[in-house]
Amino acid sequence: MTADRHAQDPQTGIMDGLRTLRHVARQVKRHTKAFGPDRVLPEPFSHQARSMLEQVDGVTSMIGRQTEDVVRRILKGTHGPAQSLDTLIKDRNAVEAFSRTVYSGLRTALEQLEAKDALVLEAAAQQAFLATLDEMNPDQDEFSARLYVHLLSKQVVRDVADSDTTTASAQDIPAIAVFAVVLWLICDRDTTDDGELIQACSSLALGLRKEIIIAGQDTATLFRLFSEFRHHV
Amino acid sequence: MSDSSTLITRQEGLRPTKEPLRVAVRRLRWFRASFRSQTEVITENTGYGFEILEDRLTAAFISWLRKVEAQRPADTADRPAYFDFAAGLMLRELLSDPPLRVTHRPAAPDKDAPETIWPEGFVCTTFCLGVRAAVFAQEFDASTRIAPEFDEARTWWSFFENVGEDAARAAGFFQLFVGNEPDWLMPDVFHRAMFRTSIETTTDKPRLSDHDPS
């Protein structure tokens, strides 16, 4: 472990902050839409409440748009094709490369799980990566399982909204999405479209959700699951 | 009525791959893409439209993969019989909770055609027969035959009713369709003796799987 690996990445902090702001703005917007002033207030109070909510909606939409623009500008040119865990570890900026990859993988996985409004924090992914590297070498058998446990315990996926449309319970979504991304990082790769690969990993994770949830933090069981399916995505 | 044999032997629905098919079929993305594509071929040829239920398709894949991996024989001489068995087991897993539902029916269907008797069963069966034919062609440079029972309406009614009672019987019907003697008691357990694989080897060239244990 080198000192560089532990160095704080300011860009990640800025992007996580902006994403959190965008997430909060979206939450506020969703809640204001769900709140129907006409149902709970008589006129003229309901009219005033509607007017106030429209202003809140306008402000949150603007915050959401502007933060998306800033994140997009910061990220411009930093996204290459997703790489395997073996390749990421050899990267000169392994920690940042890892967290960028995990972020993009989680976003796709969460979208497939119908939970795209969840918050994903790169800083948490970096902490999980460093914690795993502190415990073991990447070539050790249970590295993938330990990485999964750390990603979950650092809460890389947060604030999953309860919804009728999610494919699993909000409580289980982080474990399913993180399992999908770790599987994606270690699975056999060829020329297949990367989007198709993470989608297949998400489907497998969803199909294995009972086993994943029951496994909890049991790295031996998790390692068996990763080993069983890494060549079958 | 569609020409079932042509649908199966053309293998139009199977996704091209640089890997051996016996390896590709054990990857979810190939399995899923090929199933989707095969379903489209059936739609074009029969007029039946389908919605694919991805969760069920993935569940069938996971269950099938675990069962075939657990029963894989060590002796490469068992490969032809095992491939027959694996394809039958695939059908059993697909039909235990069919991963598709009919969204459109042709205006004037042939009432005795397999696809009319059981559209979902027809798609799953032709997919498994297509995979089997493609693997045998690649591994053994051999063509495969389909038994006459495949085109018999009464067999399809029996197939539909039996699988409704016990999905494991799908594996037995699959062996009937490829010309093997089905083991109706334990159709989803591999034992070499039950298979007299109906393939016709066209050359003496070495078998692909003789050199690769994967």
Side-chain angles (χ1 to χ4, degrees), chain B:
Chain B
M1 179 173 164
S2 62
D3 182 346
S4 305
S5 303
T6 308
L7 280 178
I8 294 157
T9 51
R10 278 195 315 210
Q11 300 153 25
E12 277 177 18
L14 305 184
R15 178 192 242 194
T17 173
K18 289 176 184 169
E19 292 187 304
L21 275 171
R22 70 174 188 285
V23 175
V25 73
R26 287 181 284 138
R27 297 196 194 277
L28 177 63
R29 59 190 194 275
W30 185 92
F31 183 88
R32 222 158 50 166
S34 295
F35 188 85
R36 264 190 234 119
S37 170
Q38 171 74 11
T39 304
E40 285 165 13
V41 171
I42 298 292
T43 295
E44 281 169 24
N45 285 276
T46 67
Y48 282 88
F50 300 92
E51 177 196 359
I52 294 178
L53 309 170
E54 295 289 347
D55 288 359
R56 290 191 192 179
L57 189 58
T58 303
F61 173 81
I62 291 172
S63 184
W64 170 73
L65 182 69
R66 285 179 155 165
K67 285 175 179 160
V68 293
E69 291 288 309
Q71 300 190 60
R72 194 203 293 221
D75 187 348
T76 54
D78 289 341
R79 283 279 176 95
Y82 176 67
F83 291 154
D84 262 355
F85 167 74
L89 202 54
M90 184 188 286
L91 183 62
R92 180 234 186 280
E93 295 305 323
L94 286 169
L95 292 182
S96 69
D97 196 10
L100 70 176
R101 70 167 66 102
V102 177
T103 56
H104 178 77
R105 292 174 190 273
D110 174 355
K111 69 179 176 57
D112 289 331
E115 68 268 23
T116 309
I117 296 167
W118 192 12
E120 298 91 338
F122 183 72
V123 172
C124 294
T125 307
T126 52
F127 174 68
C128 296
L129 287 169
V131 169
R132 171 185 179 266
V135 170
F136 273 97
Q138 188 179 68
E139 294 287 326
F140 310 112
D141 199 20
S143 61
T144 51
R145 290 192 305 260
I146 303 298
E149 285 88 342
F150 185 80
D151 290 317
E152 291 175 358
R154 63 178 179 171
T155 308
W156 272 83
W157 280 115
S158 174
F159 181 29
F160 174 66
E161 285 160 9
N162 272 279
V163 173
E165 290 169 10
D166 180 0
R169 292 179 194 158
F173 274 92
F174 186 85
Q175 299 312 327
L176 184 70
F177 291 149
V178 300
N180 289 330
E181 190 64 43
D183 174 357
W184 295 111
L185 288 178
M186 291 190 293
D188 49 4
V189 177
F190 178 65
H191 51 98
R192 186 185 183 185
M194 70 191 256
F195 298 94
R196 50 175 178 81
T197 299
S198 52
I199 59 171
E200 293 166 352
T201 304
T202 53
T203 73
D204 292 329
K205 80 177 188 182
R207 295 172 172 187
L208 188 59
S209 60
D210 285 348
H211 307 290
D212 182 357
S214 62

